[in-house]
Amino acid sequence: MTGGLYHTPPEVARDLIAEINHLRAERHAVILAHNYEYGEIQDLADFVGDSLGMAQFAAQSAAPILVVCGVHFMAETSAILSPEKMVLIPDPEAGCSLAASITAEQLRAWKAEHPGAVVVSYVNTTAEVKAETDYCCTSGNAERVIRAIPEDRKILFLPDMFLGSYLRQTTGRDMEIWAGECHVHAAIKPAMVDQQRAARPHADLLIHPECGCVTSTMHYLATGKISREGTHILSTEGMIRHAAQSPFREFVVATEIGVLHRMRKMNPDKQFFPIDDSISCPYMKQITLEKIRDSLRDLTHQVTVEPELANRARTAIERMIAL
């Protein structure tokens, strides 16, 4: 159990997993885990994926209790889409620096400066911000959402400035971009890309569009400083699909290190290297086996969203899912 992908010693994990499985069956609960969670949590989850996949699974599940192993906005999204279910988060303090970078009040003021603009919010936002939004998106479907909006409409994109910059360059749309960032992805710098490119010239380079290196990487691609062959800007789910299909045997992955666990598990004959071992989200890593056990046992840390607010936020999320 190395590389920051596991947290709990095997002998301790076995007992905790046995307790969790007993409680899961007793409660008729399902466990959802994000790609950035510890390896042992991904291994025991009923579903592992990105924010969109988690939301879709939660909405389709018949289970009365959903345990969301991710950050708080993900549990909120499940509560919005599944108001009849009990949604639990093992640690209510598992927040998100990107979601915290804009408030509903700030968004309302920004909208007032651009009347008639279409608001597109990355799913990494609070329920209050989603309620002020026209469309939600994930990194996986953001470009599709942008292209679905009539070309004569200005777009306000929030809160991630790196993903927004990437979308503006790829679509050529008239977009205003909020100056927010995920502090983990923003820590991925062009120098890391250069170092890994030099160290592993034959590896496929997979870059998440939230990364601080995206704008410079796109410039490098345009000028030929980085070869387009073997360089891919992809969502986490896009990375996972690409790695499974690619003839490459080595991959450098520029996103949170938790996704390496699923990649290695699905492709045991290939090698995956983090862009840097430091790219780990402390909020995601607040979720542990002990906290999952306690949450299921005591039904603690329930996440709810006030019905009127949930109804407004649900429209933007459902538009995202429809696309």
Side-chain angles (χ1 to χ4, degrees), residues 276-295:
D276 192 273
D277 285 327
S278 67
I279 307 302
S280 178
C281 175
Y283 299 112
M284 288 285 185
K285 300 305 191 279
Q286 285 180 219
I287 307 297
T288 63
L289 292 177
E290 292 93 335
K291 292 176 182 178
I292 296 170
R293 186 269 318 274
D294 294 348
S295 185

Side-chain angles (χ1 to χ4, degrees), residues 193-213:
V193 176
D194 293 341
Q195 183 178 8
Q196 288 291 350
R197 267 301 197 198
R200 296 184 171 86
H202 303 296
D204 234 358
L205 176 61
L206 311 182
I207 301 176
H208 196 286
E210 282 182 36
C211 295
C213 63

Side-chain angles (χ1 to χ4, degrees), residues 107 119-123 125 129-130 133 135-137 156-159:
L107 177 52
V119 178
V120 179
S121 292
Y122 195 27
V123 74
T125 47
V129 167
K130 288 182 176 71
T133 294
Y135 290 89
C136 278
C137 70
L156 303 184
F157 184 86
L158 63 106

Side-chain angles (χ1 to χ4, degrees), residues 4 18 24 32 70 72 86 98 103 122 152 180 182-183 185 195 212 233 245 271 297 306 309:
R24 169 166 40 188
L32 295 73
H72 195 270
M86 178 181 290
L98 182 55
T103 65
Y122 195 27
D152 61 344
C182 161
H183 75 284
H185 282 101
Q195 183 178 8
I233 300 174
Q245 298 165 3
Q271 290 185 292
R297 182 190 61 202
E306 189 272 325
L309 183 68

